[in-house]
Amino acid sequence: MPLDSRAAEAFHEMVFRTRDAEWISGAAANLALRVAFDDLRFRFPEFPAVVSGTVEGETLSRGSATRIEPERGELRVHLDGITPDLMLLVERFNRSNSAPTRSACLVLADGTEVTARIGHFVKYGGSSCVIRFLDWEVKRSEPVCWTAPVKRGSLRRTQGNLLIHERKSEGIRSSLTNLLLRGNYTWSLVGKDDEAFAIVETGGVPLQRRSLVADFCALELAFGQHLGIEWLTGVDADGNPVAWSGTSGLDDPGEKQAREPPIPVGDEPVGSWLPEFFAQAARALADDDATAWVFYNAYMDSLSEHLDGSYLKLQVALEALSSPYARGGQPQLVKDRDEWNAWVDEHADAIRSHAAGAGDSEKLLSKVKAAANRPTTDTVERAFATLALTLPPEASTEIRQRNVSAHRFLMNKPDADRDLLRDWNRVRMIRALLVAVFAKSIGYSGPIGGWERDALGGPRPAPWYPAADADRKHRLFGYRRMDAADGPSE
């Protein structure tokens, strides 16, 4: 090998730790290399005309012309020159105002099938109509993996665990702004400039919508950002496109959103904990764990909701996630509830005498009995104690502001001035507490982000959250290809 090549190899070894990588081969590896170094991209193809099909339980006859195109995750099928019988069907459906619930299927002139979990007519005029497909798939053969650009995805500040490496006679190229994530499926995320491209391995097994959506939601959580996949291209073992799919739940929200990762993902010394967080979150979401979906919805809503709405949702979600861990210990403020109720009944006449109006006496009596219950703000403190977490004093003070938000919707008292910097920091504080409870519930053992910011505006690791083995060395995976003279390409 020439001297300059050896020098280049030494430089790449120093920067990219190529000797530490666990090299992986296969269809996903080859596809990732082509995306990273060959600028491989897939376009949505043109399809032949529809020859038959079933929509809303009715059989379709062939139209004279057809256009099939994706639109924000859905598939729109434009049929021209439709028959009078079909036109009557479309008119009847539009007059019924019924919610679409039935699956649909179309067969194209080349034998390709277009299937959807839900298909219905949305528009018609003259001799034309449009069919809307939700959770759709066009398949010529079973792919081994799926790929798509991830809207709003960027791996610039993410510490990658996937090295993509190429060595040829003309030079060496390497990239470490990539991730290998293992949830319900194995995901390779290839970072290129401000873009990210997803490769989802299925091993030739049909793609399951529930598992895919759970993984994607876990990906959004790990990034702390709303993402989007409009549609995916399925490829065979040789990298040829053989299928296309769109799934509701992956579509782009269409607005600029904040990015607030729940765990440190930048160049902090803790290393890349994102793969572990993703894996644990994906499994919880796929299991239809109610608390996992409460966390997902509250966390992601808080990134796009206005200030007061974010605060209220996070406070309510924090209490909901804490409740299962707060059932131990003393559940009430009195020693014995029966004795308390008996004491209240004994003094019932005196208590009723303080009622403001004739209809308020029984309400007042019930309120006095209910005074034995612990306030809901104790729920979080008891949950933290159960989970062996230390609640910082300022956080303990903040969770007690829940009632102000719950009763006014606004997070501040009437006589308090709005301070945006202070109030957004209060939102981040409750969000970090929510992450702490969720992380414990799914078995995540790494660090989480606190409410303090680093120099680039990202979350610093929360010093009050105990991360197990925070300085451990994380695994590094790799995809590579080389000239035949230099060795194997895997």
Side-chain angles (χ1 to χ4, degrees), residues 177-200:
T177 55
N178 317 289
L179 286 167
L180 183 69
L181 306 176
R182 287 170 172 157
N184 300 290
Y185 294 111
T186 298
W187 292 62
S188 301
L189 291 179
V190 180
K192 188 140 187 183
D193 299 324
D194 283 324
E195 296 180 290
F197 299 87
I199 299 170
V200 184

Side-chain angles (χ1 to χ4, degrees), residues 23-24 30 70 87 104 173 181 277 284 305 320 358 368 421 456 465 488:
W23 298 106
I24 302 172
N30 294 334
M87 183 55 67
R173 293 188 290 180
L181 306 176
F277 182 85
E305 179 71 273
V368 175
L421 292 178
L456 296 178
Y465 186 86

Side-chain angles (χ1 to χ4, degrees), residues 89-362:
L89 171 64
V90 176
E91 291 175 349
R92 185 169 73 249
F93 174 78
N94 278 271
R95 286 196 302 268
S96 69
N97 293 321
S98 59
T101 57
R102 297 188 180 185
S103 61
C105 178
L106 299 177
V107 179
L108 309 184
D110 63 355
T112 300
E113 285 195 352
V114 183
T115 58
R117 186 173 60 90
I118 296 177
H120 66 108
F121 302 103
V122 292
K123 187 185 301 182
Y124 72 99
S127 61
S128 303
C129 75
V130 177
I131 307 172
R132 178 188 182 207
F133 277 17
L134 303 176
D135 298 335
W136 56 271
E137 191 169 86
V138 184
K139 188 184 296 183
R140 290 172 175 158
S141 63
E142 194 64 55
V144 296
C145 55
W146 297 81
T147 183
V150 180
K151 290 187 176 182
R152 307 190 190 285
S154 176
L155 300 174
R156 274 191 180 276
R157 286 202 65 218
T158 300
Q159 188 175 17
N161 69 337
L162 175 61
L163 172 64
I164 298 181
H165 182 71
E166 177 186 68
R167 186 173 71 191
K168 292 186 175 182
S169 57
E170 58 267 27
I172 300 172
R173 293 188 290 180
S174 294
S175 166
L176 197 50
T177 55
N178 317 289
L179 286 167
L180 183 69
L181 306 176
R182 287 170 172 157
N184 300 290
Y185 294 111
T186 298
W187 292 62
S188 301
L189 291 179
V190 180
K192 188 140 187 183
D193 299 324
D194 283 324
E195 296 180 290
F197 299 87
I199 299 170
V200 184
E201 297 180 61
T202 58
V205 176
L207 197 62
Q208 298 297 316
R209 175 180 176 272
R210 183 186 295 266
S211 298
L212 179 66
V213 171
D215 276 1
F216 184 77
C217 291
L219 187 65
E220 288 188 307
L221 284 175
F223 271 67
Q225 182 180 16
H226 286 282
L227 305 171
I229 290 179
E230 185 174 1
W231 51 272
L232 300 102
T233 300
V235 302
D236 62 17
D238 296 322
N240 301 312
V242 295
W244 299 263
S245 178
T247 300
S248 57
L250 309 187
D251 50 308
D252 183 13
E255 298 177 6
K256 186 175 182 180
Q257 312 286 350
R259 184 179 183 188
E260 185 79 10
I263 63 173
V265 296
D267 296 328
E268 287 82 3
V270 294
S272 180
W273 286 90
L274 192 151
E276 179 179 326
F277 182 85
F278 168 83
Q280 302 286 9
R283 293 188 188 105
L285 291 166
D287 289 342
D288 275 345
D289 181 344
T291 59
W293 285 106
V294 168
F295 174 77
Y296 170 81
N297 287 308
Y299 192 97
M300 299 308 297
D301 282 355
S302 75
L303 303 181
S304 55
E305 179 71 273
H306 55 80
L307 181 60
D308 295 292
S310 296
Y311 185 82
L312 176 58
K313 288 182 179 180
L314 289 169
Q315 283 275 23
V316 173
L318 176 59
E319 183 181 326
L321 263 69
S322 298
S323 291
Y325 302 101
R327 291 171 182 165
Q330 184 67 16
Q332 54 201 27
L333 296 174
V334 297
K335 297 177 181 177
D336 186 290
R337 182 174 290 274
D338 291 337
E339 289 184 6
W340 170 256
N341 287 340
W343 182 90
V344 173
D345 289 338
E346 182 181 346
H347 296 83
D349 290 340
I351 294 170
R352 290 190 183 100
S353 68
H354 290 277
D360 297 329
S361 59
E362 295 306 316

